[in-house]
Amino acid sequence: MFKGSMVAIITPFNSDGSVNEDKFRELVEFQIENGTDVIVPCGTTGESATLNYEEHDLVIRACIDQVNGRVPVVAGTGSNSTAEATELSRHAKEMGADGLLLVSPYYNKPSQEGLYQHYRTIAEEVALPQILYNVPGRTGMNMLPGTTIRLAEIDNIVAIKEASGDVTQASEIISKAGDKIDVLSGDDFLTLPLMACGAKGIISVTANIMPKEVKAMVTAIEENRWDDARAMHLKMLDIHNAMFIESNPVPVKTAVSLLGKCEPTIRQPLCDLQPASLETLKTVMQGYGLL
């Protein structure tokens, strides 16, 4: 249902920390112009953890309005409170989102049964296609393949963004439930290996600054041009790694600002990219002809 090159789009702020809707709309347009298949606002790359309810709705509404039906919009509505995630998801549905991205509850560290119940509740309460999001490095717990396979039996749970970094784990889901749930890469540097195993695309950080290149690699894989895809994968490794020299989304938002597309403003407790990291980022971007 949702496949190809998808961007976990950043949320640009003004220098005073407020949401810059005009710049956000320009970023959405930049993505569509460069072939991105799906826009994902208010994911963790969009600093959803520091957006209040009104801002969350503002960003999703602006995205849906700017896209105007040209590509699907999958709204990030996850939370570590099931009730809150359900409410955010209802709002996204009312505004016209095509699907939901639901990060696993962070900090709570629920059991596998708790995870199952969390996602089942949201799926039952909100009739939209839903993408699970497993990112143990940020949530403190790993959703095991068995839990994902159980959740795949629920009709409107259609995909999982797998950011465990474990190709074996993703492969197990594809092997045992690939006819019921799509796997999407949650790590840019694993897009090619995961798609080689049967994943359907990437929800990308790097696409914020190189959407055309991410789309080109995904297209090459879809067209079975493996030599081309492998060359592009290897060529982009340095920029993928640069996006994580400090906590996401600090490097990618800084990179977008260096392209002149937004202010580098980050909300606390995150802070500006440190000087040494900034120089590394600039050097890498220069190597790609971005600066």
Side-chain angles (χ1 to χ4, degrees), residues 113-173:
E113 181 61 25
L115 282 173
Y116 176 80
Q117 296 293 343
H118 170 80
Y119 281 120
R120 188 181 75 171
T121 296
I122 301 168
E124 289 174 346
E125 292 290 331
V126 185
L128 270 186
Q130 298 177 13
I131 302 175
L132 316 176
Y133 180 15
N134 183 39
V135 57
R138 301 297 288 255
T139 63
M141 44 71 61
N142 181 30
M143 185 157 67
L144 299 176
T147 303
T148 302
I149 292 163
R150 283 182 72 195
L151 288 164
E153 298 295 328
I154 300 171
D155 288 343
N156 58 325
I157 292 179
V158 300
I160 179 168
K161 178 183 177 182
E162 253 297 329
S164 63
D166 188 339
V167 176
T168 301
Q169 175 161 307
S171 297
E172 184 176 345
I173 297 167

Side-chain angles (χ1 to χ4, degrees), residues 213-214 217 232-240 288:
E213 291 81 357
V214 174
M217 190 190 75
M232 286 184 266
H233 163 74
L234 295 173
K235 183 178 180 180
M236 286 194 288
L237 277 179
D238 286 348
I239 194 70
H240 292 333
Y288 285 85

